[in-house]
Amino acid sequence: MTVNLTLLVVMGVLFSVGVYLLLERSLTRVLLGLMLLTNGANLLILHTSGVPGVAPLYDSSLDPSEYSDPLPQALVLTSIVISLATTAFLLSMIWRSWILARRDEIQDDLEDRRVAQQSSYDAEDDDAIPQDASEFATPDAPFTPSRHNAEEASESPGHHRVETQLRTDRRDPHEH
């Protein structure tokens, strides 16, 4: 039981340190975090495969329950190959970044800052909700207002729909 508990603790440490390193700006640390995550996932797959058994080679004298499951071993082998390819790709990105800028940090550019400052209002998703025309809707159902105010709506493309709705709301009800 201590071996299983030890593997679980090691997996937890690998996952937590790997996620922490993935959140860094340095590509080298991102690479190390990815390697730790893949090793933690490999241990998790092997741990979930169950108790070790006999190698999965056919022997007529053995009970089928005594064999070990070959699927987790195949999954770990596939994971190792994928992580090797991903590591090679990230190493090439780190090398190219070092050659071009003499650093391996990811920098914010102007487009990233512009996107971060824009409003989260989306005219298609956040505009006034149309009424349901199903047979279960009452004919006197009031208009459902937008979830955002007019200032926030006017910041995004498609705000003419909100302005049109505001004009129709301000009209005199006796006017035709």
Side-chain angles (χ1 to χ4, degrees):
M1 187 65 166
T2 58
V3 173
N4 293 339
L5 183 61
T6 305
L7 278 178
L8 290 174
V9 169
V10 168
M11 281 185 287
V13 169
L14 286 175
F15 278 119
S16 60
V17 173
V19 168
Y20 176 76
L21 288 174
L22 274 178
L23 297 175
E24 295 289 327
R25 287 194 166 278
S26 171
L27 287 175
T28 306
R29 290 181 181 171
V30 169
L31 174 66
L32 291 174
L34 186 67
M35 290 170 58
L36 289 176
L37 274 176
T38 56
N39 286 328
N42 291 344
L43 282 177
L44 178 67
I45 292 170
L46 282 179
H47 182 68
T48 58
S49 67
V51 295
V54 180
L57 300 172
Y58 181 70
D59 187 4
S60 61
S61 64
L62 287 177
D63 184 38
S65 63
E66 294 179 19
Y67 290 116
S68 64
D69 189 11
L71 181 64
Q73 298 169 12
L75 289 174
V76 168
L77 183 62
T78 306
S79 172
I80 290 170
V81 171
I82 292 171
S83 67
L84 178 67
T86 307
T87 301
F89 177 70
L90 274 173
L91 277 173
S92 67
M93 285 179 49
I94 293 169
W95 180 77
R96 182 72 175 161
S97 174
W98 181 257
I99 292 297
L100 291 177
R102 291 289 181 216
R103 68 177 118 181
D104 70 340
E105 280 192 16
I106 299 173
Q107 300 294 322
D108 283 343
D109 59 353
L110 294 176
E111 184 68 18
D112 289 339
R113 291 182 184 162
R114 187 187 66 77
V115 168
Q117 290 176 353
Q118 76 182 16
S119 172
S120 64
Y121 179 80
D122 183 17
E124 186 176 315
D125 294 335
D126 299 336
D127 203 9
I129 301 171
Q131 285 185 326
D132 187 18
S134 72
E135 60 187 272
F136 301 109
T138 61
D140 302 338
F143 174 74
T144 307
S146 174
R147 295 181 293 209
H148 298 281
N149 58 24
E151 290 176 19
E152 193 174 25
S154 66
E155 293 176 0
S156 71
H159 66 278
H160 59 280
R161 289 185 276 180
V162 174
E163 291 174 356
T164 306
Q165 182 60 38
L166 289 174
R167 280 195 299 262
T168 57
D169 288 345
R170 292 184 192 139
R171 283 194 305 192
D172 186 17
H174 302 291
E175 185 181 305
H176 293 293

